[in-house]
Amino acid sequence: MSPSLVGEEKPKLIVVLGPTASGKSEIGVHIAESLGADVISADSLQVYKYLSIGTAKPTLQEQESVAHHLLDVVDPDEEFNAGLFRRLASSKIAELHKRDKKVVIIGGTYLYIKVLLSGLIEVVPSPKNLRDELKKLRSIFGTSYLYGRLEAIDPEAALKIHFNDYVRIERALEVNYLTGRKISEIHSLHDFGENSYDYVKVGISIDRGSLMNRISLRVDSMMEQGFVEEVKRLRRMGYSPQLKPMRSIGYKEINSYIDGEVSLDEAVELIKLNTKRLAKRQMTWLRKDNEIRWFDVPRENDKLADLTTGFFRRGNIG
């Protein structure tokens, strides 16, 4: 039997996942190099221009060795969300698929991976700060205020939700914020992400002690690379410390140092502490994903190589 035409097949993706500082980027680049694949970054901060040191953006050497996509997509004061990521990533995957290029997704933001692969927005957890903000608005202005906001952005959804059903109202507002799309639109797209790709998820397994040590070393390295100057330069360019990317871990603490709120040593320790807390939360989310195949690298490098090369040779792996 002759092989199927590329256009008749679903695009195949290798998705590399792991907590921050686990080494997933280096491993993902190595996999892409061995397969002759392109990399698509699924990181909610690496999409921003000028934020490089604090986001651990791939080095120039890594970007020269393997083509990277969805880095430096928007300015720091532009909005970016999971819905926009999905549209850009889907378009890039389709383009690469037509050229018969293999694709490796390196996932720094689990929400982005979730939206890209399944589109099941309803089951994606909303950030606690967003839920708390909506709850606060409800307590101050009432459910009718939130319902009015929903009517303004998604009148079709508002028609189907009772004006006192604050749970569904707030969820609809959350979905719009997280994805940039109306929940009514998402519900109407029967194929929104469903079965769009054949994929295998690869998880980088690392013990907690080693991960915490890697985080501390990474933060020290960022400081040596000139992280403070990077943040100062962003501010000189007119980017406010109140912008969303400037309030992310690392940038928020350095901004506090620049504003005289903490010492440099305190800022560094806060970055380490907050990054370690983030890594613990990320591991909790990732461990709940039964699709991920975990590998202890470098000890299981050969097994990982067999999986990734075999995936493209034989197709999807059950």
Side-chain angles (χ1 to χ4, degrees):
M1 179 182 296
S2 60
S4 300
L5 295 174
V6 169
E8 296 174 349
E9 300 173 344
K10 293 179 185 178
K12 294 182 175 64
L13 312 174
I14 291 176
V15 183
V16 183
L17 295 157
T20 185
S22 61
K24 64 181 175 295
S25 295
E26 297 92 332
I27 292 165
V29 168
H30 178 73
I31 292 171
E33 281 183 315
S34 66
L35 295 171
D38 280 18
V39 165
I40 293 180
S41 169
D43 189 288
S44 62
L45 290 174
Q46 292 182 359
V47 297
Y48 291 105
K49 299 174 184 175
Y50 319 122
L51 279 73
S52 299
I53 296 173
T55 64
K57 200 169 286 181
T59 65
L60 289 177
Q61 183 178 357
E62 288 173 331
Q63 293 186 50
E64 288 172 357
S65 65
V66 172
H68 282 68
H69 306 282
L70 299 196
L71 298 174
D72 302 321
V73 176
V74 292
D75 289 326
D77 57 356
E78 292 183 85
E79 178 62 28
F80 198 88
N81 54 48
L84 182 55
F85 167 77
R86 183 184 185 278
R87 291 195 289 276
L88 294 176
S90 297
S91 175
K92 180 56 65 174
I93 291 168
E95 174 195 326
L96 295 172
H97 184 55
K98 287 180 181 178
R99 292 162 45 198
D100 200 20
K101 287 288 294 185
K102 298 179 178 68
V103 177
V104 174
I105 310 282
I106 300 180
T109 303
Y110 185 63
L111 171 64
Y112 283 13
I113 297 297
K114 183 82 171 176
V115 171
L116 175 66
L117 298 182
S118 68
L120 299 178
I121 304 301
E122 295 281 22
V123 301
V124 174
S126 175
K128 185 178 184 299
N129 61 335
L130 176 56
R131 294 197 309 271
D132 289 345
E133 181 182 348
L134 290 171
K135 184 178 179 180
K136 182 178 179 180
L137 288 172
R138 173 161 48 88
S139 68
I140 297 173
F141 301 110
T143 303
S144 60
Y145 170 77
L146 296 181
Y147 187 75
R149 287 180 59 172
L150 179 60
E151 283 184 311
I153 63 173
D154 192 350
E156 185 178 343
L159 286 173
K160 298 177 181 179
I161 299 176
H162 192 275
F163 60 84
N164 281 331
D165 188 350
Y166 67 84
V167 174
R168 294 181 64 201
I169 293 169
E170 290 176 14
R171 185 55 183 159
L173 292 172
E174 290 171 1
V175 167
N176 179 261
Y177 178 83
L178 291 169
T179 70
R181 305 186 76 159
K182 301 174 184 177
I183 196 170
S184 60
E185 178 187 1
I186 292 171
H187 285 158
S188 70
L189 297 175
H190 300 296
D191 64 340
F192 182 72
E194 296 290 350
N195 301 315
S196 296
Y197 307 113
D198 285 339
Y199 61 86
V200 60
K201 294 179 181 177
V202 171
I204 306 307
S205 182
I206 182 172
D207 69 84
R208 178 168 292 189
S210 297
L211 180 59
M212 297 301 108
N213 186 54
R214 286 177 63 93
I215 289 171
S216 293
L217 292 174
R218 171 184 277 190
V219 175
D220 289 339
S221 176
M222 287 176 173
M223 300 307 297
E224 292 172 3
Q225 292 173 55
F227 190 16
V228 172
E229 179 54 35
E230 177 174 279
V231 179
K232 287 181 177 178
R233 183 168 60 252
L234 283 160
R235 292 176 60 148
R236 288 196 299 268
M237 294 171 70
Y239 294 116
S240 167
Q242 300 306 314
L243 291 173
K244 184 169 71 172
M246 290 282 272
R247 293 187 59 79
S248 62
I249 294 175
Y251 291 91
K252 179 179 179 179
E253 292 82 359
I254 295 301
N255 274 306
S256 292
Y257 159 67
I258 293 171
D259 290 333
E261 298 169 356
V262 296
S263 69
L264 183 57
D265 287 344
E266 289 171 329
V268 170
E269 289 308 308
L270 282 171
I271 296 171
K272 292 179 180 179
L273 176 63
N274 291 330
T275 305
K276 289 173 183 178
R277 287 173 174 169
L278 172 63
K280 291 175 183 177
R281 292 196 300 272
Q282 289 173 329
M283 281 308 303
T284 299
W285 302 332
L286 293 170
R287 289 296 183 187
K288 292 179 180 178
D289 189 338
N290 294 326
E291 291 184 325
I292 298 177
R293 294 164 180 252
W294 294 95
F295 291 87
D296 181 2
V297 292
R299 186 173 62 84
E300 295 184 312
N301 275 353
D302 290 343
K303 289 184 179 179
L304 178 56
D306 288 343
L307 175 73
T308 54
T309 56
F311 172 67
F312 284 107
R313 189 183 308 121
R314 297 185 296 273
N316 202 4
I317 300 172

